[in-house]
Amino acid sequence: MSKTADSGKTDADAASSVEQYLVKDPERFALNVARTIEQAGKAAAAWAEPREKGEVRDGVAEPMADMVKTFSKLTEYWLSDPSRALEAQTRLFSGYLDVWSKSLHRVTAGEDVEDTAKPDRSDKRFQDPEWGRNAFFDFLKQAYLVTSRWAGDLVEHADGLDEHTRHKASFYMKQVTNAISPSNFILTNPELFRETVASNGENLVRGMKMLAEDIAAGKGDLKLRQADYSPFELGKNVAVTPGKVVGRSDVAEILQYEPSTETVLKRPLLICPPWINKFYILDLNPQKSFIRWAVEQGHTVFVISWVNPDSRHGMKGWEAYVREGLQYGLDIVDRATGEKDVNVIGYCVGGTLLAAALSLLAKEGDDRIKSATFFTTQVDFTYAGDLKVFVDEDQVAAVERAMGEKGYLEGTKMATAFNMLRSGDLIWPYVVNNYMRGKDPTPFDLLYWNADSTRMAAANHSFYLRNCYLENNLAKGSMELAGCKLSLADITIPVYNLAAREDHIAPARSVFLGCKYFGGDVEYVMAGSGHIAGVVNPPSMNKYQYWTGGKPVGDFEDWIAKAKENPGSWWPHWQKWIEKKDATRVPARGPGKRIEVLGDAPGTYVKVRV
């Protein structure tokens, strides 16, 4: 028996390798292709029907126009100098020739040659053995990697671009290169190819059926299914820390949680979460719940649960969210406990609102908040991460026009934007798994929360985009609320400022830069991991680490170099910081002792889905 050129394989091995890509039952395969086309027609109908009825207007044109405009500027730079363009083309063709030459050597001479391009260790797309064993798929993989890295270099070395255009070009280039990966297509992904042949195309039938269901669920837009959501129910196995609704305004419900200790800290704790997502990220399950843990440490915990806005809330801006949300929460805490002195936590944009509110309340003489903790919060948006890609005058104006029709921005729009920040992890693996492999995603509480979208009230979102991302007014001292010009220097209470090292939404450098604007002492702490896992990291899991150091002044990299790395969760470190401010304890206070109870936690506002 003879040997093939491929690493000593026999002819029989090669035949077996080829056989796995051959259709065994053509009649059944053809039937399933027909069924796939039928399901694809249902998906197309689910997409077209709401558009024909005028219920959905496509917003694709404006983002696509911005991408084309950005790439035009990139192209203009490279084509404006013939020698520069020739050099770029030569690098690409040289890479292709190297891949082709080495592939020929491997196939014809059986030589074990070094790959021209290898995937990063963290890249999960090319883990199937056939990506390296099969000459065809190996060639596709390497040609793709050469192309995508060359495209990235075009952006990096385009010296004539301004920083915002470069940022957008880099982001859009990642979206394009992630989308065209050979791992995303049946005929160019060996694993998908094998599964399609082995099942005679039944995976495609299931996938198209799921696609039609997800477009229907999105009412004409694709609502990408990232997990099996059916096992989860709010108040049953998600957001289950015992508590009551003790206040309700037009924009917020105030929840108070049952104590689990005989004595509690005298100062109650009010949490102001982001309205871009729902508060129960801090109460996903008993093992991961920051809220439950804080209760166990002796905090009397109150949480703002923001309304999922509709057209009635279109004119509710930041002042309304301060007055009817944060300040209303302070009033409820006072009525429920008799305590005026309060510790407050703000998470993400909830923290940005808290910072603005603290400045306003300082000018108005409201000094009930005695300490402020910020979770991954920006007050200076100079280095605001990839979300800044979506913010310039043209794009903000387009969002405002879209919001003007209904009084709010659809929740799916923000969800899509966040998913695009990590499209290689949060979009394409699910597209492949769901619609090509035809497999149901597995249950995952975090992704259930991630899919539980919230709308954005028009006035609120417009104020946020313009004053924070577009004009950076809070850091400049030119943001105005209730007729007052705000200054972060007026915030003289102690601040605990938590960043996350791998945060793409509120980069650690950006949070660090914001520290200098506060008028009092700031404890800057940097957690390991990202925007969610860096915050929701209970001590019992013993995961990641956190860094502590001196005052957050000077250069960010210098602070990191001198900082102390501590293993595990930052939660106990924060608890010690809180107790240093005031460790006085009083008998435990349960909801309903001094104030009317309106219902059980997690309340009604959080259960409104879009």
Side-chain angles (χ1 to χ4, degrees), residues 421-467:
L421 297 183
R422 294 173 54 208
S423 60
D425 296 322
L426 295 177
I427 295 180
W428 293 108
Y430 297 102
V431 169
V432 170
N433 181 77
N434 301 358
Y435 310 134
M436 296 182 192
R437 300 182 72 188
K439 292 189 175 182
D440 290 317
T442 56
F444 190 9
D445 54 7
L446 178 61
L447 290 177
Y448 169 81
W449 167 82
N450 190 56
D452 192 2
S453 304
T454 55
R455 306 181 190 99
M456 305 292 112
N460 179 320
H461 200 50
S462 176
F463 185 92
Y464 177 49
L465 292 178
R466 288 195 172 278
N467 279 272

Side-chain angles (χ1 to χ4, degrees), residues 347 527-537 543-544 570:
Y347 192 171
S529 197
H531 194 71
I532 302 300
V535 174
V536 184
N537 182 28
K543 290 180 70 175
Y544 311 126
W570 56 269

Side-chain angles (χ1 to χ4, degrees), residues 306-339:
W306 298 107
V307 73
N308 205 336
D310 54 37
S311 56
R312 297 169 299 170
H313 305 93
M315 298 307 294
K316 297 283 188 180
W318 268 38
E319 184 179 351
Y321 273 64
V322 170
R323 302 300 192 197
E324 301 172 43
L326 185 60
Q327 211 165 12
Y328 175 68
L330 293 172
D331 294 340
I332 292 296
V333 170
D334 187 354
R335 287 166 54 192
T337 65
E339 296 292 340

Side-chain angles (χ1 to χ4, degrees), residues 36-93:
T36 299
I37 294 172
E38 179 185 359
Q39 292 297 332
K42 292 180 180 179
W47 180 87
E49 184 178 355
R51 286 163 174 79
E52 291 170 352
K53 293 180 178 179
E55 298 170 354
V56 172
R57 289 188 182 180
D58 279 317
V60 176
E62 286 167 330
M64 286 298 295
D66 186 69
M67 185 171 72
V68 170
K69 184 169 67 174
T70 302
F71 283 157
S72 295
K73 293 179 181 178
L74 178 65
T75 304
E76 182 182 345
Y77 170 79
W78 286 102
L79 294 183
S80 62
D81 183 340
S83 62
R84 184 191 297 152
L86 179 62
E87 186 270 335
Q89 293 172 7
T90 301
R91 278 191 290 111
L92 179 61
F93 292 143

Side-chain angles (χ1 to χ4, degrees), residues 4-16:
T4 67
D6 186 8
S7 303
K9 286 186 177 180
T10 65
D11 292 332
D13 291 332
S16 175

